[in-house]
Amino acid sequence: MGKMRVAVFASGSGTNLQAIIDADIQTIEIAVVFTNNPDAYAIERAKKHNIQVEIIDHKNYKTREEYEKHIIKVLGPYKLNLIVLAGFMRILSTVFVRAYKNKIVNIHPALLPSFPGINAGRRALEYGVKYTGVTVHFVDEGVDTGPIILQSVVEIKDEDTEDTLLEKIHEVEHRIYPKAIELISSGEIEVIGRRVIKKS
Ligand code: GRF
């Protein structure tokens, strides 16, 4: 099997993108970094590593569908096998999800199905749970609802603030996202219903 051609989608700082670059996963090639945000620091990170960048600002499009159709067109020539969402702050509609069916993964800063959606770290802290964590999952047509690939637990201590918690969550993210991408790109896992399991 050749290397999987991967696009990393990021809207902000891109520390997960950096972790994926640094992991130097032998079974993938990062073909392109995509962003909706012309000011995303992720762009500098990509350029520094000579990775192609595509910037398409959602603000220039009337509807989500129109925006996504354009992204699909631009990404076509990259012949992608996998889309990795790493802090991409736009919800993808069925238009995009269907175009890359079962080929999109996301990282979420909580133990799904708890605390889906935005500000998951802060909401876990405010709720008072003692353990939260990180989830890597395939993207389906819902928000943070797809089959779970990997999860890892983060303990919430009495002295934690939103900042210290997010720091711990990030550390775990940077460890498990490359691991999940390696599992997928090496063909070691399969999806059966909602369950993602090691091939026997
Ligand atoms: C991460 O916490 C991720 O879980 C969430 O967005 C954040 C992205 O951070 N989806 P970064 O841009 O990778 O630093």
Side-chain angles (χ1 to χ4, degrees):
M1 200 166 64
K3 289 193 186 205
M4 266 200 179
R5 294 180 57 78
V6 173
V8 180
F9 281 33
S11 302
S13 122
T15 63
N16 278 285
L17 165 66
Q18 190 67 54
I20 294 163
I21 293 171
D22 293 344
D24 194 21
I25 303 163
Q26 292 301 303
T27 41
I28 69 163
E29 179 191 337
I30 305 175
V32 61
V33 166
F34 176 80
T35 186
N36 62 307
N37 175 11
D39 299 320
Y41 187 63
I43 297 168
E44 310 323 310
R45 297 185 193 271
K47 285 188 177 158
K48 200 166 164 213
H49 292 271
N50 294 317
I51 300 168
Q52 282 276 343
V53 179
E54 295 287 353
I55 306 166
I56 308 178
D57 193 340
H58 59 278
K59 289 187 196 122
N60 301 332
Y61 297 81
K62 276 201 210 80
T63 66
R64 206 178 281 280
E65 286 69 25
E66 202 182 302
Y67 177 55
E68 291 179 10
K69 277 184 187 154
H70 189 66
I71 302 175
I72 292 166
K73 201 168 120 189
V74 168
L75 293 186
Y78 288 98
K79 305 244 175 288
L80 301 167
N81 308 107
L82 186 68
I83 308 264
V84 172
L85 307 182
F88 185 65
M89 300 310 284
R90 307 290 306 162
I91 288 172
L92 293 168
S93 80
T94 56
V95 170
F96 192 85
V97 175
R98 283 184 190 162
Y100 286 96
K101 202 170 178 331
N102 299 328
K103 289 184 183 160
I104 311 173
V105 291
N106 182 42
I107 191 156
H108 183 74
L111 290 176
L112 292 171
S114 289
F115 309 110
I118 57 162
N119 299 324
R122 184 199 310 164
R123 285 187 291 120
L125 188 72
E126 284 172 355
Y127 192 95
V129 294
K130 301 299 185 193
Y131 295 92
T132 185
V134 174
T135 303
V136 180
H137 64 93
F138 285 108
V139 172
D140 64 9
E141 292 176 24
V143 175
D144 300 328
T145 52
I148 292 169
I149 302 161
L150 282 181
Q151 289 188 302
S152 193
V153 173
V154 171
E155 187 176 3
I156 300 182
K157 298 263 180 65
D158 292 351
E159 59 272 23
D160 270 322
T161 61
E162 188 182 356
D163 283 350
T164 62
L165 177 59
L166 289 181
E167 202 175 303
K168 287 195 277 186
I169 286 174
H170 260 103
E171 230 168 79
V172 171
E173 287 184 338
H174 300 160
R175 256 189 293 122
I176 76 166
Y177 217 175
K179 204 162 138 193
I181 293 165
E182 180 144 40
L183 282 174
I184 298 163
S185 55
S186 59
E188 283 174 66
I189 53 172
E190 60 187 331
V191 185
I192 299 178
R194 282 204 52 85
R195 301 188 68 198
V196 179
I197 54 182
K198 278 236 168 83
K199 282 186 189 161
S200 45

